[in-house]
Amino acid sequence: MYHEVIGTLNFPSLHPDFVVIGAGVAGLRAAIELAPHGQVLVLAKSDWKESSSEYAQGGVAAALSDDDEVELHEQDTLVAGDGLCDRAAVHTLVEEGPAAIEELISWGTEFDREGSNLMFGREGAHSRNRILHAHGDSTGREMLRALWHKASTFPAIRVLSFTAITELLISGGEVVGAVAFDGWANQAISISARALLLATGGLGRVYQATTNPDVATGDGVAMAYRAGAEVSDIEFVQFHPTALYLPGAPCFLLSEALRGEGAYLRNDAGERFMPKYHELAELAPRDVVSRSIVLEIQRTGAQHVWLDLTHKEPDFARTRFPRIYETCQKFGIDLAKDKAPVHPAAHYAMGGVRTNLDGSTSLPRLFAAGEVACTGVHGANRLASNSLLEGVVFGARAGRRMRDHAASPRLCAEPYAAPQFPAIEEKDLRALAWNQLGIVRDEAGLTDALARLEAIPMETRASTTRQMFELRSLYEVSRLIARCALARRESRGGHTRLDYPERSAEFQKHSLVQRDAPGVRFYE
Ligand code: FAD
Ligand code: SIN
């Protein structure tokens, strides 16, 4: 595998067989599948490691322990998805999950063990201890390390960092290439390929408060939508209950695995409040815990709640969660002695570019896998630690299907429109999304947000930066979330409408938006 920082090179056009946009778990897993069948170009818009995968803490779920069964994992995933999971997608995930993990282990992934046995942790809404973790709380980093190592054994894989795809290129409705922005040379590069995979991850940066890294700006959804692909269930955004809430500190995730290991949530009065909201208390599904925190904050007038591990053994947090412990330490919180202030933050997109189980989108030659894709596997709310698993299972499946294009002819791209950028500051856009498209929504707020977004003028610019392209993605994705959240007149999973607080049988359907089709459609 070649790894290049593109700024040191100068090539205006590239012609690999396959393009993989994104170097997280989904992209690298797909690239490994593709490598024996052609030249694979993997792009990452920042340093190749900068991805949600790199920061994934809690672990990866798979029915591998002696007291677990695939059917139980399936059932837990369906329950968390709040009536909206695609059953075939869930079945595929949980059925293929254990083998996908065994394969990762055979490629060198070192999950934590007790003696020679794998250790299984617990997270919210799981009925069994089934979460594998690595180095305590660096699971994604370890999986990425092993995938990178495996990918490095294939000379056909080439990785370009600091190269952001900004546009998909079309020919007669098929996706035949892409335009990239070389952040070092500040110039566009055109790429032609036989098939392309979107593995661009999530969209958490739409929101003012998010656990996601800077690269999670929804580019994949935005560019696929502009190209005419179907986008589904985009109103379902998962808000993680426990991000660090401290002035001047990053919105750092305090893993659900902390609650899985017995951490309590307390209000300002020191009371454990979750038992009064759900029978599973701190281990209720994530959407329930986030909403309960918001209610508790409103009830008490506080700004946050507290995550409390102080009843555990003094060394527990430091040894079991070293990365979290050290980060909190930097901000003056010793988890052995201090409670940590926490608040929900945008964390994961259940919706995205609609695909079938092999990653095919509605556009020929365009595939999607990982967080950017919507297979329907998560329904309205993702079960904790199912996402890394999704990346490896569906990344591999997409890679296998893309191989069908190994001999597809290259097509000449049609000209594409000059990009236009919204005239709004990123911080204002993210505040608008947080306040009106966030954890709790209603018709007045959504209607107002949509009107304000649609009133923002679009401008062409003489020179461009990666940040401008990212702002365009954030803007386009915000509009899609607003439209779909307004159309879904019910509360389900990650989507809470104050004016429609119940689930509705009428909306036991997936939302669908597409560039050339007016309005929001729903399908079963
Ligand atoms: P990512 O890993 O996010 O990779 C996206 C890639 O796309 C990056 O390389 C990026 O540079 C690239 N990219 C994006 N846009 C462009 C563009 N325009 N051009 C070129 N490249 C582009 N899930 C779990 O299952 N277990 C956990 O414990 C867990 N913990 C988490 C903790 C945190 C803090 C976060 C943020 C998420 C966590 N998740 C967890 C969710 C999970 O990490 C992600 O859903 C998953 O890693 C996504 O993988 P991916 O390959 O789809 O995308
Ligand atoms: C966490 O560690 O709490 C995150 C797990 C996930 O998002 O699946």
Short mmCIF file of all heavy atoms in Angstrom, two decimals, residues 412-468:
data_model
loop_
_atom_site.label_atom_id
_atom_site.label_comp_id
_atom_site.label_asym_id
_atom_site.label_seq_id
_atom_site.Cartn_x
_atom_site.Cartn_y
_atom_site.Cartn_z
N CYS A 412 -17.03 8.94 -19.81
CA CYS A 412 -16.62 10.34 -19.78
C CYS A 412 -17.65 11.16 -19.01
O CYS A 412 -18.85 11.07 -19.28
CB CYS A 412 -16.55 10.80 -21.24
SG CYS A 412 -15.47 12.16 -21.43
N ALA A 413 -17.20 11.90 -18.02
CA ALA A 413 -18.14 12.62 -17.15
C ALA A 413 -18.75 13.83 -17.85
O ALA A 413 -18.11 14.48 -18.67
CB ALA A 413 -17.40 13.09 -15.90
N GLU A 414 -20.02 14.08 -17.46
CA GLU A 414 -20.67 15.29 -17.93
C GLU A 414 -20.12 16.49 -17.15
O GLU A 414 -19.68 16.32 -16.00
CB GLU A 414 -22.19 15.19 -17.67
CG GLU A 414 -22.84 14.10 -18.49
CD GLU A 414 -24.18 13.63 -17.89
OE1 GLU A 414 -24.71 14.30 -16.98
OE2 GLU A 414 -24.65 12.57 -18.33
N PRO A 415 -20.19 17.68 -17.74
CA PRO A 415 -19.73 18.86 -16.98
C PRO A 415 -20.59 19.04 -15.73
O PRO A 415 -21.76 18.68 -15.73
CB PRO A 415 -19.95 20.03 -17.94
CG PRO A 415 -20.29 19.44 -19.24
CD PRO A 415 -20.68 18.01 -19.06
N TYR A 416 -20.02 19.57 -14.67
CA TYR A 416 -20.80 19.79 -13.45
C TYR A 416 -20.85 21.28 -13.12
O TYR A 416 -19.97 22.05 -13.54
CB TYR A 416 -20.23 18.98 -12.28
CG TYR A 416 -18.86 19.43 -11.83
CD1 TYR A 416 -18.72 20.25 -10.71
CD2 TYR A 416 -17.73 19.04 -12.52
CE1 TYR A 416 -17.47 20.68 -10.31
CE2 TYR A 416 -16.48 19.47 -12.12
CZ TYR A 416 -16.36 20.29 -11.02
OH TYR A 416 -15.13 20.72 -10.62
N ALA A 417 -21.88 21.64 -12.38
CA ALA A 417 -22.10 23.06 -12.08
C ALA A 417 -21.03 23.58 -11.12
O ALA A 417 -20.58 22.86 -10.23
CB ALA A 417 -23.48 23.23 -11.46
N ALA A 418 -20.66 24.85 -11.30
CA ALA A 418 -19.71 25.47 -10.36
C ALA A 418 -20.32 25.47 -8.97
O ALA A 418 -21.51 25.73 -8.81
CB ALA A 418 -19.42 26.90 -10.81
N PRO A 419 -19.53 25.14 -7.92
CA PRO A 419 -20.10 25.07 -6.58
C PRO A 419 -20.57 26.42 -6.06
O PRO A 419 -19.98 27.45 -6.38
CB PRO A 419 -18.94 24.54 -5.73
CG PRO A 419 -17.71 24.84 -6.50
CD PRO A 419 -18.10 24.84 -7.95
N GLN A 420 -21.64 26.37 -5.27
CA GLN A 420 -22.13 27.58 -4.61
C GLN A 420 -22.10 27.33 -3.10
O GLN A 420 -22.32 26.20 -2.65
CB GLN A 420 -23.55 27.86 -5.05
CG GLN A 420 -23.62 28.22 -6.53
CD GLN A 420 -24.86 29.02 -6.82
OE1 GLN A 420 -25.95 28.58 -6.49
NE2 GLN A 420 -24.70 30.18 -7.43
N PHE A 421 -21.85 28.38 -2.37
CA PHE A 421 -21.65 28.23 -0.92
C PHE A 421 -22.64 29.11 -0.16
O PHE A 421 -22.91 30.24 -0.58
CB PHE A 421 -20.21 28.61 -0.56
CG PHE A 421 -19.20 27.79 -1.30
CD1 PHE A 421 -18.64 28.26 -2.49
CD2 PHE A 421 -18.84 26.54 -0.84
CE1 PHE A 421 -17.72 27.49 -3.20
CE2 PHE A 421 -17.93 25.76 -1.55
CZ PHE A 421 -17.37 26.24 -2.72
N PRO A 422 -23.15 28.62 0.98
CA PRO A 422 -24.13 29.42 1.73
C PRO A 422 -23.46 30.58 2.46
O PRO A 422 -22.38 30.42 3.02
CB PRO A 422 -24.69 28.40 2.73
CG PRO A 422 -23.60 27.40 2.91
CD PRO A 422 -22.84 27.33 1.62
N ALA A 423 -24.12 31.71 2.43
CA ALA A 423 -23.56 32.90 3.09
C ALA A 423 -23.98 32.91 4.55
O ALA A 423 -24.86 33.67 4.98
CB ALA A 423 -24.05 34.16 2.37
N ILE A 424 -23.40 32.02 5.33
CA ILE A 424 -23.69 31.95 6.77
C ILE A 424 -22.42 31.48 7.47
O ILE A 424 -21.62 30.71 6.90
CB ILE A 424 -24.87 30.99 7.08
CG1 ILE A 424 -25.20 31.01 8.58
CG2 ILE A 424 -24.62 29.58 6.59
CD1 ILE A 424 -26.49 30.29 8.96
N GLU A 425 -22.22 31.95 8.69
CA GLU A 425 -21.08 31.50 9.48
C GLU A 425 -21.37 30.09 10.00
O GLU A 425 -22.51 29.80 10.41
CB GLU A 425 -20.89 32.41 10.70
CG GLU A 425 -20.48 33.84 10.38
CD GLU A 425 -19.06 33.91 9.83
OE1 GLU A 425 -18.21 33.12 10.27
OE2 GLU A 425 -18.83 34.76 8.95
N GLU A 426 -20.33 29.26 10.03
CA GLU A 426 -20.53 27.88 10.49
C GLU A 426 -21.11 27.83 11.90
O GLU A 426 -22.02 27.04 12.19
CB GLU A 426 -19.20 27.13 10.43
CG GLU A 426 -19.35 25.67 10.78
CD GLU A 426 -18.05 24.90 10.77
OE1 GLU A 426 -17.28 25.03 9.80
OE2 GLU A 426 -17.80 24.16 11.74
N LYS A 427 -20.64 28.71 12.77
CA LYS A 427 -21.11 28.64 14.17
C LYS A 427 -22.60 28.97 14.26
O LYS A 427 -23.32 28.42 15.08
CB LYS A 427 -20.26 29.53 15.08
CG LYS A 427 -20.38 31.01 14.85
CD LYS A 427 -19.61 31.74 15.92
CE LYS A 427 -19.57 33.24 15.75
NZ LYS A 427 -20.66 33.93 15.09
N ASP A 428 -23.07 29.87 13.40
CA ASP A 428 -24.49 30.23 13.42
C ASP A 428 -25.34 29.07 12.89
O ASP A 428 -26.43 28.79 13.41
CB ASP A 428 -24.74 31.49 12.58
CG ASP A 428 -24.02 32.69 13.18
OD1 ASP A 428 -23.79 32.69 14.41
OD2 ASP A 428 -23.66 33.62 12.43
N LEU A 429 -24.83 28.41 11.86
CA LEU A 429 -25.55 27.27 11.30
C LEU A 429 -25.66 26.15 12.34
O LEU A 429 -26.74 25.57 12.55
CB LEU A 429 -24.78 26.77 10.06
CG LEU A 429 -25.40 25.62 9.28
CD1 LEU A 429 -26.75 26.03 8.71
CD2 LEU A 429 -24.47 25.19 8.14
N ARG A 430 -24.57 25.89 13.03
CA ARG A 430 -24.56 24.79 14.00
C ARG A 430 -25.43 25.13 15.22
O ARG A 430 -26.06 24.25 15.80
CB ARG A 430 -23.12 24.47 14.42
CG ARG A 430 -22.30 23.93 13.25
CD ARG A 430 -20.87 23.66 13.63
NE ARG A 430 -20.78 22.58 14.58
CZ ARG A 430 -19.71 22.35 15.36
NH1 ARG A 430 -18.66 23.15 15.28
NH2 ARG A 430 -19.69 21.36 16.20
N ALA A 431 -25.49 26.40 15.57
CA ALA A 431 -26.35 26.80 16.70
C ALA A 431 -27.82 26.64 16.30
O ALA A 431 -28.65 26.16 17.09
CB ALA A 431 -26.05 28.24 17.10
N LEU A 432 -28.13 27.02 15.08
CA LEU A 432 -29.50 26.87 14.59
C LEU A 432 -29.92 25.39 14.62
O LEU A 432 -31.01 25.03 15.09
CB LEU A 432 -29.59 27.41 13.15
CG LEU A 432 -30.90 27.23 12.39
CD1 LEU A 432 -31.98 28.12 12.97
CD2 LEU A 432 -30.72 27.55 10.91
N ALA A 433 -29.04 24.53 14.14
CA ALA A 433 -29.36 23.09 14.13
C ALA A 433 -29.52 22.57 15.55
O ALA A 433 -30.45 21.81 15.85
CB ALA A 433 -28.25 22.32 13.40
N TRP A 434 -28.64 23.00 16.44
CA TRP A 434 -28.70 22.51 17.83
C TRP A 434 -30.02 22.93 18.49
O TRP A 434 -30.69 22.13 19.14
CB TRP A 434 -27.51 23.07 18.61
CG TRP A 434 -27.47 22.63 20.04
CD1 TRP A 434 -27.72 23.40 21.14
CD2 TRP A 434 -27.19 21.31 20.53
NE1 TRP A 434 -27.60 22.65 22.29
CE2 TRP A 434 -27.27 21.37 21.95
CE3 TRP A 434 -26.87 20.10 19.92
CZ2 TRP A 434 -27.06 20.25 22.76
CZ3 TRP A 434 -26.65 18.99 20.73
CH2 TRP A 434 -26.74 19.07 22.13
N ASN A 435 -30.40 24.20 18.26
CA ASN A 435 -31.58 24.72 18.95
C ASN A 435 -32.89 24.24 18.34
O ASN A 435 -33.88 24.05 19.03
CB ASN A 435 -31.56 26.26 18.95
CG ASN A 435 -30.43 26.78 19.81
OD1 ASN A 435 -30.09 26.18 20.83
ND2 ASN A 435 -29.83 27.89 19.40
N GLN A 436 -32.90 24.03 17.02
CA GLN A 436 -34.20 23.77 16.38
C GLN A 436 -34.31 22.41 15.69
O GLN A 436 -35.41 21.99 15.36
CB GLN A 436 -34.52 24.91 15.40
CG GLN A 436 -34.80 26.21 16.17
CD GLN A 436 -35.02 27.42 15.28
OE1 GLN A 436 -34.30 28.39 15.38
NE2 GLN A 436 -35.99 27.34 14.41
N LEU A 437 -33.18 21.75 15.46
CA LEU A 437 -33.23 20.41 14.83
C LEU A 437 -32.66 19.37 15.78
O LEU A 437 -32.23 18.31 15.35
CB LEU A 437 -32.42 20.39 13.52
CG LEU A 437 -32.57 21.54 12.53
CD1 LEU A 437 -31.63 21.34 11.34
CD2 LEU A 437 -34.01 21.62 12.05
N GLY A 438 -32.60 19.69 17.07
CA GLY A 438 -31.82 18.88 18.02
C GLY A 438 -32.61 17.80 18.74
O GLY A 438 -33.46 17.12 18.14
N ILE A 439 -32.35 17.66 20.02
CA ILE A 439 -32.86 16.52 20.79
C ILE A 439 -34.39 16.54 20.87
O ILE A 439 -35.04 15.51 20.76
CB ILE A 439 -32.27 16.52 22.21
CG1 ILE A 439 -30.74 16.57 22.13
CG2 ILE A 439 -32.73 15.31 23.02
CD1 ILE A 439 -30.05 16.78 23.46
N VAL A 440 -34.96 17.73 21.07
CA VAL A 440 -36.43 17.84 21.04
C VAL A 440 -36.82 18.87 19.97
O VAL A 440 -36.21 19.93 19.85
CB VAL A 440 -37.04 18.22 22.42
CG1 VAL A 440 -37.00 17.04 23.37
CG2 VAL A 440 -36.32 19.40 23.03
N ARG A 441 -37.85 18.53 19.21
CA ARG A 441 -38.24 19.32 18.05
C ARG A 441 -39.75 19.59 18.11
O ARG A 441 -40.48 18.85 18.76
CB ARG A 441 -37.94 18.52 16.78
CG ARG A 441 -36.49 18.07 16.69
CD ARG A 441 -36.29 16.92 15.72
NE ARG A 441 -34.86 16.66 15.53
CZ ARG A 441 -34.37 15.69 14.75
NH1 ARG A 441 -35.19 14.88 14.10
NH2 ARG A 441 -33.07 15.53 14.63
N ASP A 442 -40.17 20.63 17.41
CA ASP A 442 -41.60 20.82 17.22
C ASP A 442 -41.84 21.56 15.91
O ASP A 442 -40.90 22.04 15.27
CB ASP A 442 -42.25 21.55 18.41
CG ASP A 442 -41.73 22.96 18.60
OD1 ASP A 442 -41.13 23.52 17.65
OD2 ASP A 442 -41.90 23.51 19.70
N GLU A 443 -43.11 21.62 15.53
CA GLU A 443 -43.43 22.15 14.20
C GLU A 443 -42.98 23.60 14.04
O GLU A 443 -42.38 23.97 13.02
CB GLU A 443 -44.94 22.04 13.94
CG GLU A 443 -45.32 22.64 12.60
CD GLU A 443 -46.58 22.05 12.02
OE1 GLU A 443 -47.05 21.02 12.52
OE2 GLU A 443 -47.07 22.64 11.04
N ALA A 444 -43.22 24.41 15.08
CA ALA A 444 -42.87 25.83 14.96
C ALA A 444 -41.37 25.99 14.75
O ALA A 444 -40.92 26.72 13.86
CB ALA A 444 -43.32 26.58 16.22
N GLY A 445 -40.59 25.28 15.55
CA GLY A 445 -39.13 25.40 15.45
C GLY A 445 -38.60 24.87 14.13
O GLY A 445 -37.71 25.46 13.51
N LEU A 446 -39.16 23.76 13.67
CA LEU A 446 -38.68 23.16 12.42
C LEU A 446 -39.07 24.03 11.22
O LEU A 446 -38.26 24.24 10.31
CB LEU A 446 -39.28 21.76 12.26
CG LEU A 446 -38.74 20.71 13.24
CD1 LEU A 446 -39.60 19.45 13.22
CD2 LEU A 446 -37.29 20.35 12.93
N THR A 447 -40.29 24.55 11.26
CA THR A 447 -40.75 25.39 10.14
C THR A 447 -39.88 26.65 10.07
O THR A 447 -39.43 27.07 9.00
CB THR A 447 -42.23 25.79 10.33
OG1 THR A 447 -42.97 24.60 10.55
CG2 THR A 447 -42.78 26.52 9.13
N ASP A 448 -39.64 27.24 11.22
CA ASP A 448 -38.82 28.45 11.27
C ASP A 448 -37.39 28.15 10.80
O ASP A 448 -36.81 28.90 10.01
CB ASP A 448 -38.82 29.00 12.71
CG ASP A 448 -37.92 30.21 12.84
OD1 ASP A 448 -38.29 31.26 12.26
OD2 ASP A 448 -36.85 30.11 13.48
N ALA A 449 -36.85 27.02 11.26
CA ALA A 449 -35.47 26.67 10.87
C ALA A 449 -35.37 26.48 9.36
O ALA A 449 -34.44 26.99 8.72
CB ALA A 449 -35.04 25.39 11.59
N LEU A 450 -36.36 25.79 8.80
CA LEU A 450 -36.33 25.53 7.37
C LEU A 450 -36.43 26.85 6.58
O LEU A 450 -35.69 27.06 5.61
CB LEU A 450 -37.49 24.59 7.00
CG LEU A 450 -37.44 23.93 5.64
CD1 LEU A 450 -36.12 23.21 5.40
CD2 LEU A 450 -38.59 22.92 5.50
N ALA A 451 -37.32 27.72 7.04
CA ALA A 451 -37.47 29.01 6.34
C ALA A 451 -36.16 29.80 6.42
O ALA A 451 -35.71 30.39 5.42
CB ALA A 451 -38.60 29.81 6.98
N ARG A 452 -35.53 29.78 7.60
CA ARG A 452 -34.27 30.53 7.74
C ARG A 452 -33.18 29.92 6.87
O ARG A 452 -32.38 30.64 6.25
CB ARG A 452 -33.86 30.58 9.21
CG ARG A 452 -34.76 31.54 9.99
CD ARG A 452 -34.61 31.40 11.48
NE ARG A 452 -33.26 31.72 11.94
CZ ARG A 452 -32.85 31.53 13.20
NH1 ARG A 452 -33.68 31.02 14.10
NH2 ARG A 452 -31.64 31.86 13.56
N LEU A 453 -33.13 28.61 6.82
CA LEU A 453 -32.10 27.95 5.99
C LEU A 453 -32.33 28.26 4.51
O LEU A 453 -31.38 28.56 3.77
CB LEU A 453 -32.14 26.43 6.22
CG LEU A 453 -31.62 25.94 7.58
CD1 LEU A 453 -31.99 24.48 7.82
CD2 LEU A 453 -30.10 26.12 7.67
N GLU A 454 -33.60 28.21 4.10
CA GLU A 454 -33.88 28.41 2.67
C GLU A 454 -33.68 29.87 2.25
O GLU A 454 -33.50 30.14 1.07
CB GLU A 454 -35.27 27.90 2.33
CG GLU A 454 -35.23 26.38 2.35
CD GLU A 454 -36.54 25.68 2.02
OE1 GLU A 454 -37.58 26.36 2.00
OE2 GLU A 454 -36.48 24.46 1.80
N ALA A 455 -33.69 30.75 3.24
CA ALA A 455 -33.49 32.17 2.91
C ALA A 455 -32.01 32.54 2.78
O ALA A 455 -31.66 33.65 2.36
CB ALA A 455 -34.15 33.03 3.98
N ILE A 456 -31.13 31.63 3.12
CA ILE A 456 -29.69 31.96 3.08
C ILE A 456 -29.23 32.03 1.63
O ILE A 456 -29.41 31.06 0.87
CB ILE A 456 -28.88 30.90 3.87
CG1 ILE A 456 -29.22 30.98 5.35
CG2 ILE A 456 -27.37 31.08 3.65
CD1 ILE A 456 -28.71 29.80 6.17
N PRO A 457 -28.66 33.13 1.20
CA PRO A 457 -28.22 33.23 -0.20
C PRO A 457 -27.05 32.29 -0.49
O PRO A 457 -26.23 32.02 0.39
CB PRO A 457 -27.77 34.69 -0.36
CG PRO A 457 -27.98 35.34 0.95
CD PRO A 457 -28.39 34.33 1.97
N MET A 458 -26.98 31.80 -1.72
CA MET A 458 -25.87 30.95 -2.15
C MET A 458 -24.96 31.79 -3.05
O MET A 458 -25.44 32.55 -3.90
CB MET A 458 -26.39 29.74 -2.93
CG MET A 458 -27.31 28.85 -2.13
SD MET A 458 -26.54 28.08 -0.68
CE MET A 458 -25.53 26.81 -1.43
N GLU A 459 -23.66 31.63 -2.85
CA GLU A 459 -22.71 32.47 -3.58
C GLU A 459 -21.63 31.62 -4.24
O GLU A 459 -21.24 30.58 -3.70
CB GLU A 459 -21.99 33.41 -2.59
CG GLU A 459 -22.92 34.28 -1.78
CD GLU A 459 -22.18 35.01 -0.64
OE1 GLU A 459 -21.07 34.57 -0.24
OE2 GLU A 459 -22.73 35.99 -0.17
N THR A 460 -21.13 32.08 -5.38
CA THR A 460 -19.92 31.45 -5.93
C THR A 460 -18.72 32.23 -5.37
O THR A 460 -18.85 33.38 -4.95
CB THR A 460 -19.89 31.52 -7.47
OG1 THR A 460 -20.19 32.85 -7.85
CG2 THR A 460 -20.89 30.57 -8.09
N ARG A 461 -17.57 31.61 -5.33
CA ARG A 461 -16.38 32.26 -4.76
C ARG A 461 -15.22 32.13 -5.73
O ARG A 461 -15.10 31.12 -6.44
CB ARG A 461 -15.98 31.60 -3.44
CG ARG A 461 -17.03 31.67 -2.36
CD ARG A 461 -16.97 33.01 -1.62
NE ARG A 461 -18.11 33.16 -0.74
CZ ARG A 461 -18.18 32.65 0.48
NH1 ARG A 461 -17.17 31.98 0.98
NH2 ARG A 461 -19.24 32.82 1.22
N ALA A 462 -14.37 33.14 -5.73
CA ALA A 462 -13.21 33.13 -6.62
C ALA A 462 -12.22 32.05 -6.20
O ALA A 462 -11.63 31.36 -7.02
CB ALA A 462 -12.54 34.50 -6.61
N SER A 463 -12.02 31.89 -4.88
CA SER A 463 -11.13 30.83 -4.43
C SER A 463 -11.84 30.03 -3.33
O SER A 463 -12.76 30.54 -2.69
CB SER A 463 -9.82 31.41 -3.90
OG SER A 463 -10.11 32.18 -2.76
N THR A 464 -11.43 28.78 -3.17
CA THR A 464 -12.16 27.91 -2.25
C THR A 464 -11.21 27.27 -1.24
O THR A 464 -10.00 27.17 -1.48
CB THR A 464 -12.87 26.79 -3.03
OG1 THR A 464 -11.94 26.20 -3.93
CG2 THR A 464 -14.06 27.30 -3.79
N THR A 465 -11.79 26.83 -0.13
CA THR A 465 -11.04 26.09 0.89
C THR A 465 -11.85 24.85 1.24
O THR A 465 -13.05 24.79 0.96
CB THR A 465 -10.86 26.91 2.18
OG1 THR A 465 -12.18 27.19 2.69
CG2 THR A 465 -10.11 28.21 1.94
N ARG A 466 -11.20 23.89 1.91
CA ARG A 466 -11.94 22.70 2.35
C ARG A 466 -13.09 23.09 3.27
O ARG A 466 -14.19 22.54 3.20
CB ARG A 466 -10.98 21.74 3.07
CG ARG A 466 -11.64 20.43 3.41
CD ARG A 466 -10.69 19.53 4.19
NE ARG A 466 -11.19 19.32 5.53
CZ ARG A 466 -10.46 18.87 6.54
NH1 ARG A 466 -9.18 18.60 6.37
NH2 ARG A 466 -10.99 18.68 7.72
N GLN A 467 -12.84 24.08 4.13
CA GLN A 467 -13.86 24.49 5.09
C GLN A 467 -15.11 25.02 4.39
O GLN A 467 -16.23 24.83 4.86
CB GLN A 467 -13.31 25.57 6.04
CG GLN A 467 -12.35 25.05 7.10
CD GLN A 467 -11.01 24.58 6.52
OE1 GLN A 467 -10.56 25.05 5.46
NE2 GLN A 467 -10.36 23.63 7.20
N MET A 468 -14.91 25.67 3.24
CA MET A 468 -16.09 26.17 2.51
C MET A 468 -16.92 25.01 1.97
O MET A 468 -18.16 25.03 2.01
CB MET A 468 -15.64 27.09 1.37
CG MET A 468 -15.19 28.45 1.88
SD MET A 468 -14.24 29.36 0.65
CE MET A 468 -15.38 29.42 -0.68
#
